[in-house]
Amino acid sequence: MESGWEMGKILDQIDNPADLKELTQAELKQLASEIREELVSVVSANGGHLASNLGVVELTIALHRIFESPKDKIVWDVGHQAYTHKLLTGRRDRFSTLRQFGGLSGFTDRNESEHDHFGAGHASTSISAALGMVVARDLAGDDYEVVAIIGDGAATGGMALEGMNQVGHLGSRLIVVLNDNGMSISPTVGALAKLLGKIRFDDRYRRAKDTSKRIVTRLPLGNRVWSAGKQVETGVKGMFMPTTFWEELGFAYMGPVDGHNIHELEMALAHARDYRREPILLHVVTTKGKGYLPAEGDAVYFHGIPAQGTDNGTIPTYSDVFAQTMLRLARDNPRLVVITPAMPEGNCLSIVAAEFPERVLDVGICEQHAVTFAAGLSIQGFVPVVAIYSTFLQRSFDQIIHDVCLQDLPVVFAIDRGGIVGDDGKTHQGVFDISYLTMIPNLIVAAPKDEDELQHMLYTATKSKHPMAVRYPRSTGLGVKLDTEFCLIPIGRGELLREGQDVAIVAIGSMVAPALEAARELTVSGIEAAVVNARFTKPLDRELILEVAGRTKRVVTVEENILNGGFGSSVANLLQRSDLNDIQVRSIGLPDEFIEHGPQSSLRSRYGLDSEEIARYVLAAFPDLDRAKTTAEYSELSG
Ligand SMILES: Cc1ncc(C[n+]2csc(CCOP(=O)(O)OP(=O)(O)O)c2C)c(N)n1
């Protein structure tokens, strides 16, 4: 670090974590406030996880002062709170590109920095990944520290508990920092959350906060107040803790520590680092949104904010229409229950919860449990709707197969964020669901062409005798009128939206509207394309697809999903097994790669999923059509 930083911002002088070590406590405080300014400024413009990041500024600074990344491994859970970590690990200059196409990811990413020891985006992975590193270290006879930082929300996830179970069993040297702000996206739910609440709000802790400060400043680093768990003989630990939950799991427990006091954090982390015996759980209490009043006041909204200039307009989103539909259905059917794995906000469920609090169940960040829990409700004659993002449903793959579909239980999967989600990028794209759901026996898989069809499909799903998935995109609807009466959509029936004899564009879900538009654009080239809204990827509308294919001899499928195992491959399979000969089939969809972050519209265009690209593809895929057009034009010209 250059000397003379007093002249400018301290943050501008931090090129790597080692630069932090020379700063005084007063300078660190100044640095924390500069970081907050930078976070608010960039995230307000680009969108992102503001409140979570504001809450861990001091914790991140302290971690990078006490540990030596990249030698020591700092493993963030979810990775959505790693913005300060990015600022301090050589990415300050690129921070303004956060979540933009080609810019920094909104999560930890091993391709981005040697300081990102584990890539994340989905919750509850840190303890398992960190334990893997610990065991590798110990088997290889290496010596470095491994620290997992996990939020109280992510700690509700099953894998976190599975990881803790093995950590306690092995007794390995691992430090788990529990970043407890009482919030997941919404307030954290569950018995574990209650336990943490007890500690946070315990009178003895509040009194002890000051006491501990006194003790910490009075005593040298090695004082026994901070020596952990079973070794502690002073009364301080007992004073802090109403329970020994973590100790029973085999962890030494330290805390709770004030997560906005850098000095105190450093002392606690240094003790944890030097303890070197059993695994340690360091309980750090933070305030989500800290230091920016709007975010402190409304941490739920500021958990993840949209980029500046994102105009929501007046057209409802698909998520809005989902929630409105659930509300109406819940009024009519006292057996309808909506299950959300910690995403009541994202799924817009507050309007349903306000009227039926006992029938909207937040189960925590527990997608696997959510699905099997739904199976149990279904067996007892209830109508469970699992409201879930496509990307997170991946967690429940076996539960869908083994607990729901194998028993043919009529569970409804309302799958939000199907397709390209945009700025969250690789970890969050909902581009696999058509493939991984269509292959499962008994499961009906549908995707609506617009928000009106969504409500009818959801209604149909709640009346189904079989499990049914309805997937819809992250976006506003098309602005179509919503029918006031729900109607049943015949299972496995698509609809022919446009006649045409040259080529049939068979589209599913969000791709139906651009397919229709592409067909209009193709008329300029003298090509008449039929357009089919397939509605179901399973069961397919055999009759309709075979009929248009037989007539046009050219079929193009379009889906916002990976091509491998997707809708297009189902249609190709159908045609291959039919008696039809000489049908040319082409499929538009996403390639066999992880799709990066960027605006939804530019990603769609990049991957050929908008009307212009679909039209261009049709022309290129069937040059005979183009020739026909040219000949037609030629004869027209030549009179
Ligand atoms: C498997 C999975 N489910 C849901 C989410 C969506 N999600 C992102 S952050 C978050 C809350 C995390 O809460 P916590 O771990 O306490 O961190 P905080 O933001 O409060 O710091 C949720 C539910 C996710 N990333 N991964």
Side-chain angles (χ1 to χ4, degrees):
M1 191 174 75
E2 288 168 29
S3 59
W5 51 261
E6 301 85 350
M7 310 299 293
K9 280 168 75 176
I10 299 175
L11 179 58
D12 291 343
Q13 307 296 323
I14 308 292
D15 294 326
N16 64 61
D19 292 338
L20 292 169
K21 311 239 169 174
E22 301 165 26
L23 303 179
T24 64
Q25 287 295 318
E27 289 158 359
L28 292 173
K29 241 179 150 179
Q30 170 65 24
L31 173 66
S33 98
E34 290 174 9
I35 289 173
R36 286 206 164 85
E37 256 174 49
E38 182 72 2
L39 292 177
V40 172
S41 145
V42 171
V43 180
S44 302
N46 298 11
H49 292 98
L50 187 57
S52 312
N53 279 287
L54 289 167
V56 294
V57 174
E58 287 81 9
L59 176 60
T60 311
I61 293 173
L63 280 163
H64 278 297
R65 289 209 349 132
I66 297 302
F67 296 97
E68 288 175 30
S69 178
K71 179 171 91 48
D72 293 334
K73 318 296 174 205
I74 297 174
V75 181
W76 295 95
D77 207 285
V78 190
H80 67 309
Q81 76 294 58
Y83 298 175
T84 299
H85 166 78
K86 290 186 187 227
L87 284 169
L88 300 179
T89 51
R91 285 167 275 183
R92 175 173 40 80
D93 291 346
R94 298 179 61 208
F95 194 65
S96 61
T97 68
L98 185 75
R99 290 160 56 90
Q100 295 183 331
F101 185 71
L104 291 183
S105 157
F107 300 89
T108 48
D109 181 345
R110 280 163 45 80
N111 294 320
E112 220 177 65
S113 166
E114 60 177 352
H115 296 281
D116 288 6
H117 298 284
F118 196 68
H122 288 197
S124 318
T125 62
S126 64
I127 296 177
S128 303
L131 181 60
M133 294 175 194
V134 161
V135 170
R137 173 196 67 197
D138 295 347
L139 286 174
D142 290 334
D143 193 18
Y144 48 81
E145 300 302 325
V146 183
V147 189
I149 300 105
I150 186 164
D152 54 300
T156 61
M159 194 165 42
L161 297 167
E162 292 170 33
M164 302 237 330
N165 190 42
Q166 197 194 356
V167 174
H169 170 68
L170 294 176
S172 312
R173 180 160 60 89
L174 166 69
I175 299 163
V176 175
V177 175
L178 178 63
N179 168 29
D180 177 12
N181 54 26
M183 299 292 288
S184 191
I185 293 178
S186 308
T188 308
V189 295
L192 196 57
K194 274 192 199 154
L195 171 72
L196 292 172
K198 259 194 222 165
I199 301 174
R200 265 198 321 273
F201 296 116
D202 191 280
D203 234 18
R204 289 165 297 179
Y205 163 57
R206 278 191 302 213
R207 269 187 278 123
K209 254 179 88 170
D210 297 331
T211 323
S212 72
K213 257 188 219 159
R214 253 196 350 260
I215 296 166
V216 167
T217 44
R218 205 181 59 223
L219 296 174
L221 269 185
N223 80 74
R224 300 182 69 177
V225 171
W226 292 111
S227 49
K230 296 181 177 93
Q231 306 302 318
V232 172
E233 282 152 24
T234 72
V236 175
K237 183 196 62 137
M239 205 166 92
F240 288 169
M241 287 216 316
T243 156
T244 56
F245 173 75
W246 289 280
E247 288 180 335
E248 294 301 330
L249 281 179
F251 282 76
Y253 172 90
M254 288 177 71
V257 176
D258 175 359
H260 300 295
N261 181 328
I262 297 178
H263 180 55
E264 206 166 308
L265 282 167
E266 285 182 12
M267 293 196 66
L269 287 168
H271 277 280
R273 180 195 59 200
D274 299 337
Y275 182 62
R276 296 177 78 88
R277 274 171 278 184
E278 62 224 315
I280 287 199
L281 184 125
L282 174 62
H283 183 183
V284 174
V285 176
T286 59
T287 301
K288 201 158 173 169
K290 179 75 177 178
Y292 179 58
L293 284 181
E296 276 191 44
D298 190 352
V300 174
Y301 174 75
F302 282 94
H303 174 86
I305 56 172
Q308 218 163 40
T310 313
D311 180 16
N312 284 335
T314 50
I315 300 173
T317 62
Y318 281 88
S319 316
D320 288 328
V321 173
F322 158 74
Q324 285 157 12
T325 307
M326 285 303 115
L327 182 58
R328 288 177 58 192
L329 292 174
R331 282 178 185 152
D332 288 349
N333 183 354
R335 292 189 159 237
L336 185 120
V337 176
V338 185
I339 300 162
T340 169
M343 304 298 284
E345 294 301 320
N347 285 308
C348 300
L349 283 169
S350 53
I351 57 163
V352 193
E355 199 166 321
F356 302 104
E358 71 294 349
R359 286 197 279 139
V360 175
L361 297 165
D362 181 350
V363 296
I365 309 182
C366 306
E367 290 80 7
Q368 306 181 352
H369 161 69
V371 170
T372 306
F373 173 58
L377 278 157
S378 167
I379 283 192
Q380 291 309 114
F382 277 72
V383 180
V385 178
V386 180
I388 195 160
Y389 286 13
S390 168
T391 187
F392 303 138
L393 185 62
Q394 289 162 197
R395 289 266 160 115
S396 324
F397 187 47
D398 184 55
Q399 282 74 10
I400 301 170
I401 294 178
H402 179 269
D403 299 334
V404 174
C405 294
L406 196 151
Q407 308 185 80
D408 203 10
L409 298 173
V411 169
V412 178
F413 297 98
I415 306 176
D416 202 327
R417 272 63 166 177
I420 288 174
V421 298
D423 312 326
D424 278 338
K426 288 178 193 169
T427 53
H428 284 59
Q429 308 287 13
V431 296
F432 303 108
D433 54 17
I434 291 182
S435 307
Y436 73 72
L437 294 175
T438 302
M439 62 185 262
I440 303 175
N442 291 336
L443 184 62
I444 299 162
V445 185
K449 68 174 188 292
D450 59 34
E451 62 272 36
D452 186 44
E453 197 164 71
L454 171 64
Q455 54 167 359
H456 298 310
M457 273 184 184
L458 288 166
Y459 171 71
T460 305
T462 61
K463 300 283 177 198
S464 168
K465 299 271 178 283
H466 306 280
M468 179 162 166
V470 181
R471 76 99 85 152
Y472 45 94
R474 175 193 185 204
S475 69
T476 49
L478 303 185
V480 300
K481 193 175 132 302
L482 294 174
D483 294 339
T484 46
E485 295 284 310
F486 294 138
C487 65
L488 286 173
I489 293 184
I491 301 295
R493 277 287 171 74
E495 56 177 349
L496 181 65
L497 294 178
R498 190 181 196 281
E499 275 293 4
Q501 68 287 350
D502 296 326
V503 56
I505 308 179
V506 183
I508 183 80
S510 57
M511 288 296 106
V512 173
L516 264 178
E517 184 53 36
R520 278 181 220 117
E521 288 167 23
L522 283 167
T523 57
V524 177
S525 309
I527 293 165
E528 284 305 325
V531 176
V532 170
N533 167 21
R535 281 194 188 133
F536 295 87
T537 71
K538 187 175 177 177
L540 283 177
D541 191 335
R542 272 179 62 91
E543 219 175 286
L544 176 58
I545 293 172
L546 293 180
E547 192 271 321
V548 288
R551 208 148 36 82
T552 60
K553 301 284 181 202
R554 299 179 194 88
V555 173
V556 177
T557 64
V558 199
E559 64 194 299
E560 201 174 344
N561 188 82
I562 52 158
L563 285 169
N564 281 344
F567 170 65
S569 66
S570 298
V571 172
N573 251 326
L574 169 69
L575 293 171
Q576 196 188 24
R577 283 182 281 115
S578 74
D579 300 329
L580 295 174
N581 294 318
D582 307 329
I583 311 282
Q584 299 183 65
V585 199
R586 302 282 184 277
S587 293
I588 301 177
L590 293 162
D592 183 19
E593 60 191 58
F594 291 103
I595 309 298
E596 61 271 64
H597 54 276
Q600 262 176 324
S601 57
S602 27
L603 289 175
R604 284 193 182 124
S605 158
R606 184 182 170 84
Y607 289 102
L609 299 175
D610 62 14
S611 60
E612 237 174 77
E613 292 300 322
I614 295 170
R616 209 194 311 273
Y617 182 93
V618 169
L619 288 174
F622 305 113
D624 51 331
L625 270 181
D626 215 8
R627 269 203 306 281
K629 178 209 91 178
T630 319
T631 320
E633 271 178 358
Y634 178 76
S635 43
E636 216 173 273
L637 279 177
S638 56

